[in-house]
């Protein structure tokens, strides 16, 4: 599981399952960095190393699936504004998108929009966030220990997520568990 789902996925599940947000109407995910503006090539820009991985989209797709469910339908637009960088002394054609927008409908009926970019040139925009709007409230997560909740007609208030609804890093334990389960059949 990606680290973006942790540590608050149990809390998000509780809020959504309780109906505190009402019917979910819109989900917005933003993943913004300046990673592709670096003068040299990064491993994420090299298709032979990164494959079809685009920015942090895979990590956030797993996060969205776990929290609000998968897409029923979607469309996407991509751009690669810096299509060539120098690798040593040779030009290297970048084939992995540096800007992606995704919009669609989730299986639960809510609309969703995602903004992914590695082209943020300022230092105040970069960051990641997930906002879930419902008919009774809004939940916002900054992926940096910030969780905010707003009731209908109210302002956002910071939430101190109870310890019992937090989950720590479990990737290694999960991997070992999957191997043991596979061995056991």
């Amino acid at each position: 599981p990606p680290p973006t789902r942790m540590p608050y996925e149990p809390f998000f599940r509780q809020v959504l399952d309780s109906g505190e947000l009402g019917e979910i109407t819109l989900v917005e995910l933003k993943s913004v960095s300046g990673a592709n503006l670096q003068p040299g090539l990064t491993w994420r820009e090299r298709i032979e190393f990164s494959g079809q991985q685009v920015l942090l989209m895979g990590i956030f797709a797993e996060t969205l699936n776990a929290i609000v469910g998968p897409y029923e339908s979607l469309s996407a637009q991509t751009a690669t504004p810096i299509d060539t960088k120098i690798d040593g002394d040779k030009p290297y054609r970048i084939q992995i998108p540096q800007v992606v927008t995704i919009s669609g409908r989730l299986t639960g009926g809510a609309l969703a929009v995602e903004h992914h970019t590695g082209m943020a040139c300022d230092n105040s925009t970069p960051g990641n966030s997930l906002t879930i709007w419902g008919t009774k409230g809004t939940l916002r997560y900054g992926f940096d220990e910030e969780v905010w909740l707003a009731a209908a007609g109210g302002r956002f208030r910071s939430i101190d997520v109870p310890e019992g609804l937090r989950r720590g890093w479990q990737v290694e334990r999960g991997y070992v568990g999957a191997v043991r389960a596979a061995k056991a059949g």
Side-chain angles (χ1 to χ4, degrees), residues 44-174:
R44 286 189 177 276
E45 293 173 306
R46 299 181 70 106
I47 200 159
E48 66 271 24
F49 298 145
S50 187
Q52 296 299 315
Q53 301 299 318
V54 177
L55 301 164
L56 298 176
M57 283 178 40
I59 288 171
F60 284 117
E62 290 182 40
T63 301
L64 284 178
N65 284 344
I67 295 173
V68 293
Y71 279 96
E72 175 180 292
S73 63
L74 64 85
S75 64
Q77 297 290 319
T78 66
T80 309
I82 300 174
D83 63 356
T84 305
K85 288 189 177 181
I86 300 301
D87 183 20
D89 59 350
K90 295 185 233 173
Y92 180 91
R93 185 173 162 269
I94 298 171
Q95 302 173 54
I96 300 172
Q98 298 159 332
V99 181
V100 179
T101 61
I102 301 170
S103 62
R105 181 177 305 277
L106 301 173
T107 56
L111 298 181
V113 63
E114 298 179 44
H115 308 282
H116 300 270
T117 184
M119 303 295 292
C121 63
D122 62 281
N123 64 3
S124 57
T125 303
N128 304 309
S129 65
L130 172 64
T131 305
I132 303 170
W133 284 275
T135 55
K136 296 180 182 177
T138 305
L139 178 67
R140 179 170 289 152
Y141 177 38
F143 294 103
D144 59 358
E145 305 297 320
E146 289 183 288
V147 178
W148 302 83
L149 194 60
R155 294 187 175 273
F156 276 110
R157 67 186 194 286
S158 179
I159 299 296
D160 185 24
V161 176
E163 194 62 42
L165 293 175
R166 295 179 187 209
R167 181 174 58 191
W169 182 258
Q170 301 174 5
V171 174
E172 292 84 359
R173 186 176 349 152

Side-chain angles (χ1 to χ4, degrees), residues 13 26 42 108 128 152:
R13 289 273 23 108
L26 179 64
T42 70
N128 304 309

Side-chain angles (χ1 to χ4, degrees), residues 23-38:
E23 180 183 343
I24 303 306
T25 59
L26 179 64
V27 175
E28 179 187 53
L29 175 82
K30 291 194 270 186
S31 176
V32 178
S33 79
N36 294 112
L37 292 173
Q38 303 300 318

